[in-house]
Amino acid sequence: MALCCCAHAAARPFLANPCARRAVSAGAQSRQERQPGGLCRRSLLSSSAAAAIMLAAGSRSVATAAVVDDTAAKVLLDPKWPQAFPFKPENFERYDESSDTLFYEQPRFVAHIDDNAIKALTQFYADTFPPSGSKDAALLDICSSWISHYPKGYTAGRVAGLGMNEAELARNSQLTEFAVRDLNVEAVLPYEDNSFDFITNAVSVDYLTKPIEVFQEMHRCLKPGGMAIMSFSNRCFPTKAISMWTSTGDLDHIWIVGSYFHYSVPGGFTAPQAKDITIRGPFGAGDPMYVVFARKQEAA
């Protein structure tokens, strides 16, 4: 079901994103978490933000340009970042501003992307992480749950998880430790500086209402040269995703997440890169899957 927006759709340069996440049980599809009928966004992207995304594509939206070029990677090759962060506080509002702690109070032992999307993300991790069993490697999964989509049997000296539900985190057998924290209330990672080689976030960056602060914290906690990997699809709890996410399309999301890296710690991350890792077959694809990633700059 498409969003009912408070501004006429023709005024927006973005692709529609229904963002109705399918909940998939462990091994089989479960109920769908659908957007309620009549949902009306209270705010859209500011005109400066819209102009910035259009400028990046040379008068077309990033989404449109990237689809024409048939590659997600090109979105961040020449992003034409504005001088200042182009988004306003209202862009990070949600339809449901009630406590996230209450929303996530009940555990959800489901997967929020389909099997192929999980397979794609797991393979990307396998190709990127240090070899399993590396005792000196440390990884952190933020917005974590009962599964992190890490390769099966993957181990490291430290695998920390930070999430919203203690029961879900306790069931994640790959974690060596976990902590419960609502990053939308306290955007501070409870870890020391230069602690992790990798920080991951699977299909949850769209819920962050303080992304700049969270990305600053990721930068602080990464070792020099360490990598942060943000992955996302087009599935979400639409009442809890930020308004500019649900009013834009998949390729625009790449630009948005890239901007978090760029503006959070100026010069602190390498130029963010993007990759479409969607698994496609002869009959099309299931859930789309994208990753945006960057490394903490090495000390000069």
Side-chain angles (χ1 to χ4, degrees):
M1 183 180 297
L3 288 172
C4 170
C5 293
C6 300
H8 194 278
R12 294 186 288 115
F14 309 107
L15 298 183
N17 177 24
C19 206
R21 171 174 288 165
R22 286 180 292 175
V24 184
S25 65
Q29 287 193 350
S30 181
R31 67 187 182 281
Q32 286 193 343
E33 293 151 353
R34 297 187 182 275
Q35 183 177 319
L39 178 61
C40 186
R41 279 287 166 210
R42 293 168 295 173
S43 61
L44 298 173
L45 287 177
S46 67
S47 58
S48 61
I53 295 181
M54 290 184 71
L55 176 63
S59 81
R60 295 175 296 170
S61 76
V62 168
T64 303
V67 168
V68 171
D69 293 337
D70 197 29
T71 173
K74 290 187 178 181
V75 174
L76 296 179
L77 288 182
D78 185 20
K80 293 183 172 63
W81 305 119
Q83 185 173 359
F85 188 56
F87 305 123
K88 295 183 176 181
E90 57 264 31
N91 300 140
F92 300 96
E93 293 178 351
R94 289 93 50 81
Y95 185 82
D96 178 6
E97 293 287 9
S98 64
S99 169
D100 289 344
T101 300
L102 292 176
F103 185 81
Y104 292 102
E105 183 177 19
Q106 295 300 317
R108 294 178 174 90
F109 296 110
V110 297
H112 300 293
I113 46 179
D114 66 19
D115 290 344
N116 274 347
I118 292 172
K119 181 179 178 181
L121 181 57
T122 299
Q123 186 60 55
F124 183 85
Y125 286 155
D127 294 339
T128 308
F129 287 172
S132 180
S134 300
K135 298 298 184 182
D136 59 346
L139 293 81
L140 169 63
D141 189 35
I142 66 171
C143 304
S144 190
S145 180
W146 68 291
I147 45 177
S148 296
H149 305 313
Y150 288 3
K152 185 177 181 180
Y154 185 85
T155 64
R158 185 183 189 187
V159 182
L162 186 73
M164 290 287 294
N165 187 279
E166 184 173 4
E168 292 180 9
L169 293 166
R171 190 182 287 194
N172 191 328
S173 61
Q174 291 183 297
L175 302 180
T176 61
E177 62 185 85
F178 67 83
V180 176
R181 177 155 299 186
D182 184 350
L183 293 175
N184 288 342
V185 173
E186 186 179 5
V188 176
L189 301 180
Y191 307 104
E192 295 180 353
D193 297 355
N194 307 315
S195 297
F196 296 99
D197 299 282
F198 287 87
I199 297 179
T200 60
N201 178 313
V203 295
S204 295
V205 68
D206 43 324
Y207 302 123
L208 296 178
T209 61
K210 301 176 181 179
I212 294 299
E213 292 90 334
V214 172
F215 276 61
Q216 289 170 341
E217 280 290 286
M218 290 195 299
H219 181 271
R220 178 183 65 79
C221 292
L222 280 172
K223 299 175 184 178
M227 179 183 287
I229 303 170
M230 306 291 106
S231 63
F232 50 90
S233 183
N234 64 356
R235 311 298 179 187
C236 67
F237 297 108
T239 61
K240 282 296 185 181
I242 59 172
S243 64
M244 73 171 169
W245 195 273
T246 56
S247 60
T248 56
D250 292 343
L251 280 299
D252 294 311
H253 298 160
I254 289 176
W255 197 91
I256 291 169
V257 176
S259 78
Y260 296 164
F261 280 111
H262 178 75
Y263 292 102
S264 58
V265 183
F269 287 104
T270 59
Q273 300 177 60
K275 187 174 183 179
D276 181 349
I277 60 172
T278 306
I279 293 178
R280 294 176 172 83
F283 303 105
D287 293 344
M289 201 66 199
Y290 305 94
V291 289
V292 176
F293 51 95
R295 290 188 180 275
K296 181 175 178 176
Q297 291 279 18
E298 301 271 5

